[in-house]
Amino acid sequence: MPDVKLVSGVTVDVPTHTADLDAHTYNAIQKFMTGEYYCFPASHYANITMVADRLYASPLIIVRDMTVDRIAIQVSTAGAAGTKARLGIYNDGTNLYPGTLLLDAGEVAVDAVAIVNITISKALTKGIYWMAIVTNGTPDVMGDDAYDQSIPIMGLSSTNFGVNNDYWYVAHTYAALPNPYTAAGSKYNSGKVRVALRVLSLD
């Protein structure tokens, strides 16, 4: 007997129409490929020159529960020998400002051109998180163009509606990440670093 369902008085062959139902009801942005890296959506890259002893926090929207197993950046121009970066994740706080520290992932070397990553194990639920990076030097890191944010949740620059506010930053002498994120940070609108997470599983 076929798998049927009564819909508004009409018998429907469910398997036949599953694809149609999915196309009309499924949220496509909740689809992710496990084993791949993701960051805040944007389509045009830019090289971002880091400022030493400055803690950056860029928004990341997680649209479904997942577990991630890597946090990574891409060094596009090497820093001086011995230059390092520390990566982490903050929870969202008040009024789209980073709050409590969720993860201090540790350090990566940024004195050579490479994609560098740290193994982590973190379950994330739907919501907004802040991807953090601080360096003790001035490497260039792959990032996003200031003019190309798909979802500018931090709003537009108050002095130029042609660009978006991209991230928060505060002064932070290179060390373990503060908990919570330091108050009274500044907004910036000249692109942001791609601190990416690798998806292990969709939960």
Side-chain angles (χ1 to χ4, degrees):
M1 181 177 179
D3 185 6
V4 297
K5 185 176 182 180
L6 192 64
V7 180
S8 299
V10 178
T11 300
V12 178
D13 183 342
V14 175
T16 301
H17 296 283
T18 297
D20 292 337
L21 291 171
D22 284 349
H24 287 289
T25 64
Y26 197 78
N27 186 350
I29 66 171
Q30 291 186 328
K31 297 289 285 184
F32 291 84
M33 183 179 294
T34 58
E36 298 298 331
Y37 285 97
Y38 290 88
C39 62
F40 197 80
S43 59
H44 189 267
Y45 77 89
N47 292 319
I48 308 297
T49 301
M50 305 298 294
V51 175
D53 299 322
R54 174 180 284 184
L55 176 58
Y56 301 81
S58 303
L60 175 66
I61 301 173
I62 297 294
V63 298
R64 61 167 298 162
D65 296 351
M66 64 178 64
T67 298
V68 295
D69 66 354
R70 299 285 191 281
I71 185 170
I73 56 172
Q74 180 172 347
V75 182
S76 47
T77 301
T83 305
K84 294 182 179 181
R86 182 174 287 270
L87 309 179
I89 306 172
Y90 282 88
N91 292 306
D92 190 37
T94 302
N95 197 26
L96 285 177
Y97 192 79
T100 56
L101 180 65
L102 178 64
L103 175 70
D104 185 332
E107 295 179 310
V108 289
V110 290
D111 54 2
V113 174
I115 294 176
V116 289
N117 67 73
I118 301 169
T119 298
I120 61 176
S121 178
K122 183 60 65 175
L124 302 176
T125 57
K126 290 189 293 185
I128 296 172
Y129 297 87
W130 296 87
M131 307 302 296
I133 179 173
V134 60
T135 64
N136 61 357
T138 57
D140 283 359
V141 178
M142 186 70 71
D144 297 321
D145 191 288
Y147 300 90
D148 188 30
Q149 298 296 322
S150 300
I151 310 174
I153 63 171
M154 290 180 62
L156 303 176
S157 165
S158 60
T159 59
N160 180 5
F161 281 7
V163 296
N164 307 306
N165 294 318
D166 295 318
Y167 60 82
W168 294 100
Y169 72 90
V170 292
H172 177 70
T173 300
Y174 187 79
L177 301 182
N179 185 19
Y181 192 83
T182 307
S186 300
K187 293 191 292 286
Y188 210 65
N189 51 35
S190 64
K192 63 178 181 56
V193 176
R194 289 180 173 177
V195 180
L197 298 175
R198 192 175 79 169
V199 178
L200 173 66
S201 63
L202 302 176
D203 303 334

